[in-house]
Amino acid sequence: MYEVTLTDRTGRVWPLTTRRGRGVWLAEEGIDGMVGQVDVVAVNAVDSPGQRVDHIRVEPMAGTLNLIITPTATESIDDLVGALRAGLSTRDAGSLRIAGPRSDLSCRVRLEEVPPALRSNTHRVRSLTVELPLVADGGVWWSGEESGTGRIVNGGDVTVRPRLVWSGSGGPVVSPSGAVFLLPAVTGTRVLYLDADESCLVTTTAGGVDGPLWGRLRGVTVPEGVPPGATRTWVLPAGVELRWRIGYLDPWR
């Protein structure tokens, strides 16, 4: 049994697999798509059989939610449709969560296009079927956040890019490759993204950018990750921990 939940950009949570109190839930067609897609770039060598995979690029993930809407004790079909359409956007993302017997995964989603206007007089119908075309620009489903003090095992489909969270005196960090860099002493708690695509950003736990500290660590930080199927270990000073999420192409795994 899978539990599917949509959280829109306003923060409203839509439990799509619960009919208690009626409202909005998945039709029998359920979710069409929303599985990760990859573009495999391969090299064919002259006089050699087959091909060699050079790299894999994860594409944006798209799909459709097929929904049935019925009135509740407090909201009409019009109310529910209006709230659902207002809570979704082609620009601002919400999240879609699929929790099953072996995994609990989520992804950021937005409307791929604005759904067409309703053609029925909703005052005269008992239920309404709606299709919501969604796109997840990140391309994968993410596990909940994990944490530890050194070792990361990546059983997912994309490279893990962890973060370092520390407070107090900081100290030397030994990366999996053996490279060393120094975390400075801080007041409060800081987060360092070990990701070159994020420019090794430094923030507070609330997400605010610490510009001065970011400037000090830029060019010093070693942004190493953990490839799919691999294990990597960092050696961390006291008061420092790793945090990460695992990315999967298939939410039904």
Side-chain angles (χ1 to χ4, degrees), residues 13-98:
V13 178
W14 302 83
L16 301 181
T17 47
T18 300
R19 299 192 184 188
R20 188 180 303 116
R22 303 170 72 79
V24 179
W25 71 86
L26 282 176
E28 288 187 7
E29 295 82 1
I31 301 175
D32 182 15
M34 294 308 296
V35 175
Q37 303 295 316
V38 297
D39 180 18
V40 177
V41 179
V43 177
N44 298 92
V46 177
D47 295 331
S48 294
Q51 63 182 14
R52 175 177 59 81
V53 175
D54 184 66
H55 65 274
I56 294 176
R57 181 172 57 246
V58 177
E59 303 289 346
M61 182 168 56
T64 302
L65 290 184
N66 301 291
L67 305 177
I68 295 176
I69 302 177
T70 59
T72 69
T74 58
E75 292 180 290
S76 67
I77 290 179
D78 281 342
D79 293 334
L80 291 166
V81 169
L84 193 59
R85 292 176 74 103
L88 299 173
S89 166
T90 56
R91 181 187 60 200
D92 302 322
S95 67
L96 186 64
R97 172 176 171 253
I98 298 179

Side-chain angles (χ1 to χ4, degrees), residues 30 37 57 59 62 72 95-96 99 107 137 140 142 150 166 169 177 216 218 252:
Q37 303 295 316
R57 181 172 57 246
E59 303 289 346
T72 69
S95 67
L96 186 64
C107 64
D137 297 300
V140 294
W142 295 102
W166 84 103
S169 59
S177 65
R216 289 176 59 188
R218 191 180 301 155
W252 312 109

Side-chain angles (χ1 to χ4, degrees), residues 174-186:
V174 182
S175 302
S177 65
V180 181
F181 64 95
L182 185 67
L183 290 178
V186 293

Side-chain angles (χ1 to χ4, degrees), residues 2 100-105 155-157 246-253:
Y2 289 91
R102 294 174 300 278
S103 62
D104 189 340
L105 306 174
D157 300 307
I246 307 293
Y248 299 94
L249 297 171
D250 182 5
W252 312 109
R253 57 189 303 282

